[in-house]
Amino acid sequence: MKNNKDKLLKKTFLDFLIKEIIWTIALSGSILLISFIVIMGNFQWVYDLSPNLYYFFKSLFYIIANLFELVIPVIIIWIVGTLILLYKLLKKVFSYIHDISKASEDLVNKNIEYIELPDELLELQNKLNRIKRESEKNERLAKESEQRKNDLIVYLAHDLKTPLTSTIGYLSLIDEIKDMPKKQREKYINIALEKSYRLEDLINELFEIARFNSETIVLEKEDVNLTTMLEQIVDDFYPVLKDANKAIKLDIKDKVTLYADPDKLARVFNNLIKNAINYSTDNIITMAVKKEKEDICIIIINKGKKISDEKLKRIFEKFYRTDSSRATKTGGSGLGLAIAKEIVELHNGTIKATSDDEYTKFYVLLPIKNLK
């Protein structure tokens, strides 16, 4: 903004200076021309009598004319002209200030689609329009995110009733029917346990939403053996993988050490692995680590249904779920990938996703400068 201001000031002042120079030259030249004509016309008869006398009177006239007829009027006229030019300059400057003030109001005016400024302020006009579009986009996304969060909380509150009612119902039957056959009792206990697990998942989603709204992520960095971390995370997922009849194939050729927050990075990969387990249609999920020129790239690959381009663009938004149905167990609170993105970016890295008819891939890129 300072460069734009300096450019505008220099351009405006140069414009004023050029006009002032042209005005001064034009005025001086006109007066000199008129004076010369007058001199030559009025004193021609003196020249006829005596050329020396003519030049004496001519010089004397110049002195008198400059002192009494030229200098003072020229100064007065020059001052008047300068004031007029200065007034026009100030009028132009204040016009710019007014236009910029109005443009600042138009930034938040939803009825104004495009901000227009004078040609001299074209660069500022383009920047203000970019800010306006970005602001409107962010506002729209914030409203959509808030609406998705509110809808999710309503769905969760409604969904809590079903497993809770079922659990209470089956446990009540077990409590009331003391002589219930063992096989039937075991069946009801298993159903109640299954519903309790579902209830736990829903409550965890509510806690995740509350924590995300109130939590500010602060990194506590230290030396982290990324290879060991990923191996540990995969081991921790063993019970879940076994129940889902799936496995994770680790492809790590080199030992990788990062200067990072181990807990926060672990949360990133936990969320990505959960996502892969939920949506994978194959038994094998691949996790590879590669050293590139400027980045360490961690890739999580699962075979499954293609994610459309439209959904891929929004997959890292808060509370966005690719599967909008609450009947499925795959769609959580819609925060896992948003949290992962925030943590990765705090580490000066990037995260992205691709999907085709066969595989969905998540790429986590951490800059080489974080390496030790």
Side-chain angles (χ1 to χ4, degrees):
M1 189 63 71
K2 184 178 179 182
N3 289 336
N4 291 336
K5 181 180 177 182
D6 292 342
K7 287 180 182 178
L8 179 60
L9 179 60
K10 289 177 182 177
K11 185 178 185 304
T12 305
F13 180 75
L14 183 62
D15 183 57
F16 166 78
L17 189 61
I18 291 172
K19 289 179 180 178
E20 184 66 21
I21 292 171
I22 293 174
W23 160 249
T24 303
I25 292 173
L27 179 63
S28 302
S30 299
I31 292 175
L32 288 173
L33 180 61
I34 293 171
S35 298
F36 181 77
I37 293 173
V38 170
I39 292 171
M40 293 302 293
N42 292 342
F43 289 86
Q44 185 63 38
W45 60 274
V46 178
Y47 183 83
D48 294 335
L49 293 175
S50 172
N52 291 332
L53 186 63
Y54 169 80
Y55 287 115
F56 170 77
F57 280 110
K58 184 177 180 181
S59 299
L60 182 63
F61 177 83
Y62 273 131
I63 294 172
I64 296 172
N66 285 335
L67 289 176
F68 296 100
E69 295 182 14
L70 293 178
V71 176
I72 295 176
V74 165
I75 291 175
I76 294 173
I77 296 172
W78 184 85
I79 291 174
V80 172
T82 300
L83 289 175
I84 293 172
L85 289 175
L86 184 60
Y87 172 79
K88 289 184 177 181
L89 171 66
L90 292 175
K91 184 178 179 181
K92 195 173 186 181
V93 171
F94 278 96
S95 173
Y96 289 152
I97 294 173
H98 176 268
D99 290 337
I100 294 171
S101 176
K102 184 177 180 300
S104 65
E105 294 176 0
D106 292 342
L107 274 176
V108 294
N109 190 341
K110 293 182 175 59
N111 296 323
I112 303 295
E113 293 185 2
Y114 188 79
I115 296 172
E116 292 187 7
L117 291 172
D119 293 340
E120 295 88 342
L121 302 175
L122 180 61
E123 188 176 350
L124 178 61
Q125 171 186 295
N126 294 335
K127 286 188 176 182
L128 288 175
N129 280 303
R130 283 198 298 271
I131 292 171
K132 183 175 178 64
R133 288 193 296 270
E134 190 67 26
S135 175
E136 290 173 349
K137 177 185 175 183
N138 291 337
E139 183 180 359
R140 185 180 70 255
L141 291 176
K143 286 182 178 179
E144 291 176 359
S145 175
E146 186 66 19
Q147 186 60 48
R148 287 197 300 268
K149 183 190 73 174
N150 293 337
D151 291 344
L152 180 60
I153 291 174
V154 172
Y155 293 146
L156 282 172
H158 180 269
D159 287 353
L160 284 169
K161 294 181 180 179
T162 304
L164 182 60
T165 302
S166 297
T167 301
I168 293 173
Y170 283 109
L171 291 177
S172 297
L173 286 174
I174 294 171
D175 183 60
E176 291 171 5
I177 305 174
K178 304 298 182 182
D179 57 348
M180 181 182 292
K182 182 179 179 182
K183 187 173 182 180
Q184 188 177 7
R185 179 183 293 272
E186 290 177 353
K187 178 182 177 182
Y188 286 176
I189 290 173
N190 286 334
I191 294 174
L193 183 62
E194 182 182 345
K195 298 298 180 182
S196 297
Y197 286 143
R198 178 58 179 156
L199 188 62
E200 182 185 33
D201 290 339
L202 294 171
I203 291 172
N204 286 336
E205 286 188 39
L206 280 173
F207 275 117
E208 188 176 23
I209 293 171
R211 184 173 64 174
F212 187 84
N213 282 343
S214 61
E215 182 182 42
T216 301
I217 299 177
V218 179
L219 299 184
E220 297 179 4
K221 293 185 178 182
E222 60 183 69
D223 288 331
V224 179
N225 188 320
L226 185 63
T227 306
T228 303
M229 172 192 284
L230 295 178
E231 290 173 349
Q232 182 63 50
I233 291 173
V234 171
D235 288 340
D236 292 342
F237 270 98
Y238 176 77
V240 178
L241 291 165
K242 185 178 180 182
D243 289 343
N245 192 29
K246 294 175 182 177
I248 295 178
K249 177 185 176 184
L250 271 176
D251 182 10
I252 305 176
K253 296 180 180 178
D254 301 313
K255 179 181 177 181
V256 178
T257 301
L258 294 176
Y259 184 65
D261 186 319
D263 294 332
K264 303 301 187 302
L265 275 189
R267 192 173 178 185
V268 170
F269 299 120
N270 268 300
N271 289 344
L272 292 175
I273 291 173
K274 284 179 185 176
N275 186 78
I277 293 172
N278 287 336
Y279 290 98
S280 178
T281 57
D282 196 10
N283 295 333
I284 301 297
I285 297 166
T286 302
M287 195 170 190
V289 179
K290 297 180 180 179
K291 280 187 179 181
E292 298 185 353
K293 288 184 178 180
E294 299 180 356
D295 302 291
I296 290 295
C297 182
I298 302 97
I299 312 170
I300 295 91
I301 307 169
N302 70 270
K303 191 172 184 179
K305 183 180 177 182
K306 180 181 179 180
I307 303 173
S308 67
D309 292 339
E310 180 63 28
K311 289 182 177 179
L312 273 179
K313 291 177 183 177
R314 306 184 62 187
I315 202 169
F316 294 104
E317 292 179 15
K318 292 184 292 186
F319 305 108
Y320 183 77
R321 304 164 75 248
T322 55
D323 185 354
S324 58
S325 173
R326 290 295 309 171
T328 64
K329 294 182 180 180
T330 54
S333 61
L335 282 173
L337 295 180
I339 292 171
K341 181 175 185 290
E342 185 173 353
I343 293 172
V344 169
E345 289 180 348
L346 283 173
H347 283 86
N348 300 318
T350 58
I351 183 170
K352 62 180 181 178
T354 62
S355 186
D356 55 31
D357 293 331
E358 193 170 3
Y359 294 104
T360 295
K361 301 178 181 180
F362 283 87
Y363 298 84
V364 176
L365 290 93
L366 298 171
I368 207 79
K369 63 183 179 181
N370 281 344
L371 285 174
K372 276 203 167 185

